[in-house]
């Protein structure tokens, strides 16, 4: 039976296991990040897969601290929001909150209309 | 263009004056969420008609929620619970993070008139945007990945110090124990980025459209020949 080496199992794109986040999905999100993203090297999604792990761990840790402060055991969205509001480098996430609290704001929705 | 804005979907009614909004809905994902917001208005010529839009989250633009939860669980104590909206929020944050960093990395590429966003660009952008704490562990991770890729491309069975098992693939077994042989000071990993890129991108380069960069054609060559002028196992002969 074939055994994956410690590196190949970890780094091969598309495999589950130690490689936690799907590279194809990362690549898709990268491409959508701007109209002018041309080519993406094969390594960039790999760096992101690890970076997103670190990011999720970081944000989760901070959010959980807020939960604990409130003496609760369930991590809520408000805890996540408090966590990133309190952290400078997470300022870019503020736009997520303003979108969700303002459901009538349709200006950022990309839509196609048919004119009959 | 805002990747994370909820997409507005209206039911298609050929008799109505409501414009039809069309989006792509990923119906394969069992995690698709449906939030009904009855307050939003559609812009129509008949001002009295109100739409009943369904706002559907496009799962394609987020990391799979199961993976996100798995990573969160590594941090949280076992008794902790996570609300659904917290999971979704973190999903959105991750996508926003990727877009944010990529945007900065891409701008740098454009300034320097390069077409390909590389791992170095991503790392640079992270440092610039305040994620210095991530840069070092990511650099270590990237270097280990590159070493492993080089091992896979260059290794031949007869030259392996450890004989594990034979594989049918032509680049030899990859069950290499940790602690790769120490490479001599001439090892090109740090010093020859051009040569290095060719083999490091052996895993494939992603690109849009028909633009064929020089490096994409060399990647297939690198698979077979590795680094022709360098034999990392020369010291073992």
């Amino acid at each position: 039976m074939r055994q994956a080496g410690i590196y190949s199992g970890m780094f091969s794109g598309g495999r589950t296991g130690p490689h936690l986040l799907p590279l194809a999905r990362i690549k898709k999100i990268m491409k959508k990040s701007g109209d002018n993203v041309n080519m993406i090297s094969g390594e960039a999604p790999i760096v992101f897969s690890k970076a997103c792990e670190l990011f999720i761990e970081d944000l989760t840790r901070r959010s959980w601290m807020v939960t604990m402060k409130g003496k609760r055991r369930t991590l809520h969205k408000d805890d996540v929001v408090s966590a990133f509001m309190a952290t400078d480098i997470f300022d870019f996430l503020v736009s997520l909150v303003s979108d969700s609290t303002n459901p009538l704001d349709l200006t950022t929705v990309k839509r196609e209309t048919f004119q009959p | 263009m805002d990747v994370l804005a909820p997409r507005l979907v209206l039911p298609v009614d050929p008799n109505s004056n409501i414009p039809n909004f069309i989006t792509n809905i990923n119906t394969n994902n069992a995690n698709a969420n449906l939030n009904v917001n009855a307050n939003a208005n559609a812009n129509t010529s008949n001002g009295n008609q109100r739409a009943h839009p369904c706002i559907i989250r496009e799962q394609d633009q987020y990391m799979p929620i199961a993976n996100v939860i798995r990573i969160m669980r590594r941090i949280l104590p076992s008794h902790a619970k996570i609300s659904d909206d917290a999971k979704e929020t973190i999903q959105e944050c991750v996508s926003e993070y990727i877009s944010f960093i990529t945007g900065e990395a891409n701008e740098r590429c454009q300034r320097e008139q390069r077409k390909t966003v590389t791992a170095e660009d991503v790392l640079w952008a992270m440092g610039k945007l305040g994620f210095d704490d991530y840069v070092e562990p990511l650099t270590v991770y990237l270097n280990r990945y590159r070493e492993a890729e080089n091992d896979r491309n260059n290794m031949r069975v007869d030259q392996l110090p450890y004989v594990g098992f034979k594989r049918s693939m032509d680049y030899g077994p990859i069950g290499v124990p940790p602690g790769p042989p120490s490479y001599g000071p001439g090892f090109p990993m740090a010093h020859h980025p051009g040569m290095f890129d060719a083999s490091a991108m052996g895993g494939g380069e992603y690109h849009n459209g028909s633009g064929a960069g020089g490096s994409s054609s060399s990647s297939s060559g690198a698979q077979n020949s590795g680094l022709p002028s360098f034999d990392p196992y020369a010291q073992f002969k």
Side-chain angles (χ1 to χ4, degrees):
Chain A
M1 184 170 110
R2 239 164 65 163
Q3 269 214 314
I6 54 162
Y7 291 115
S8 70
M10 200 183 293
F11 296 105
S12 299
R15 290 203 202 169
T16 57
H19 213 186
L20 279 172
L21 295 171
L23 298 179
R25 190 74 63 88
I26 292 175
K27 185 193 122 193
K28 198 180 286 191
I29 297 174
M30 286 178 77
K31 283 218 189 129
K32 275 201 195 166
S33 69
D35 287 331
N36 47 13
V37 178
N38 293 322
M39 294 161 73
I40 301 174
S41 89
E43 293 176 328
I46 288 175
V47 171
F48 263 124
S49 76
K50 188 67 179 171
C52 290
E53 267 181 58
L54 298 177
F55 176 76
I56 294 172
E57 290 179 352
D58 198 349
L59 192 50
T60 303
R61 208 174 279 125
R62 291 174 196 265
S63 307
W64 181 247
M65 278 167 30
V66 178
T67 310
M68 284 203 296
K69 235 191 206 176
K71 297 195 170 54
R72 286 174 279 110
R73 297 166 107 189
T74 304
L75 203 157
H76 284 293
K77 174 176 174 175
D78 291 337
D79 302 328
V80 179
V81 173
S82 302
F84 69 66
M85 293 291 215
T87 312
D88 281 343
I89 57 172
F90 292 158
D91 275 351
F92 68 96
L93 294 171
V94 168
S95 61
L96 290 179
V97 184
S98 54
D99 278 351
S100 62
T101 56
N102 200 4
L104 296 180
D105 180 12
L106 300 176
T107 55
T108 53
V109 173
K110 182 177 163 197
R111 50 193 181 185
E112 298 165 28
T113 52
F114 277 142
Q115 304 297 331
Chain B
M1 170 162 73
D2 187 336
V3 166
L4 295 178
R7 305 286 174 117
L8 204 58
V9 175
L10 296 184
V12 175
D13 181 358
N15 296 325
S16 79
N17 289 331
I18 302 172
N20 295 325
F21 294 87
I22 297 185
T23 72
N24 291 322
I25 301 170
N26 181 2
T27 53
N28 292 332
N29 191 330
N31 289 327
N33 295 311
L34 189 64
N35 295 321
V36 179
N37 184 343
N39 291 329
N41 296 329
N43 228 359
T44 72
S45 53
N46 181 349
N48 289 331
Q49 280 196 331
R50 275 176 189 271
H52 298 285
C54 301
I55 299 176
I56 297 180
R57 296 172 87 236
E58 265 196 42
Q59 291 303 312
D60 266 1
Q61 60 193 11
Y62 302 124
M63 288 294 116
I65 200 155
N67 303 36
V68 171
I69 294 169
R70 206 176 302 143
I71 300 172
M72 290 176 76
R73 290 253 168 243
R74 295 204 294 215
I75 302 296
L76 297 173
S78 47
H79 65 269
K81 296 195 202 302
I82 314 171
S83 75
D84 283 344
D85 59 4
K87 294 172 190 168
E88 286 173 18
T89 304
I90 301 236
Q91 248 190 328
E92 292 167 12
C93 290
V94 176
S95 295
E96 193 72 9
Y97 175 67
I98 296 174
S99 297
F100 182 53
I101 302 285
T102 303
E104 194 67 32
N106 193 42
E107 267 183 46
R108 184 204 201 199
C109 281
Q110 304 213 309
R111 275 198 306 270
E112 301 181 0
Q113 291 172 336
R114 283 181 289 116
K115 285 209 178 120
T116 308
V117 177
T118 64
E120 272 80 14
D121 292 324
V122 172
L123 289 173
W124 172 86
M126 285 190 194
K128 177 164 188 273
L129 294 170
F131 293 92
D132 308 303
D133 291 340
Y134 295 9
V135 170
E136 193 179 320
L138 290 176
T139 308
V140 169
Y141 182 82
L142 181 61
N143 286 334
R144 281 168 57 198
Y145 166 78
R146 287 170 169 173
E147 279 177 31
E149 283 296 292
N150 269 329
D151 287 349
R152 280 181 5 156
N153 289 338
N154 298 333
M155 199 172 299
R156 298 202 296 269
V157 178
D158 55 316
Q159 288 186 319
L160 262 192
Y162 303 93
V163 177
F165 47 88
K166 294 216 174 173
R167 293 163 55 96
S168 55
M169 299 205 163
D170 59 4
Y171 47 76
I174 44 182
V176 181
S182 56
Y183 299 117
F187 189 75
M189 187 174 286
H191 302 301
H192 300 283
M195 181 160 59
F196 173 52
D197 275 348
S199 60
M201 288 199 233
E205 184 173 50
Y206 306 114
H207 52 85
N208 258 337
S210 58
S215 49
S216 63
S217 56
S218 67
S219 64
S220 48
Q223 290 274 1
N224 297 324
S225 59
L227 303 169
S229 62
F230 180 80
D231 186 354
Y233 293 97
Q235 55 189 311
F236 294 104
K237 283 186 178 154

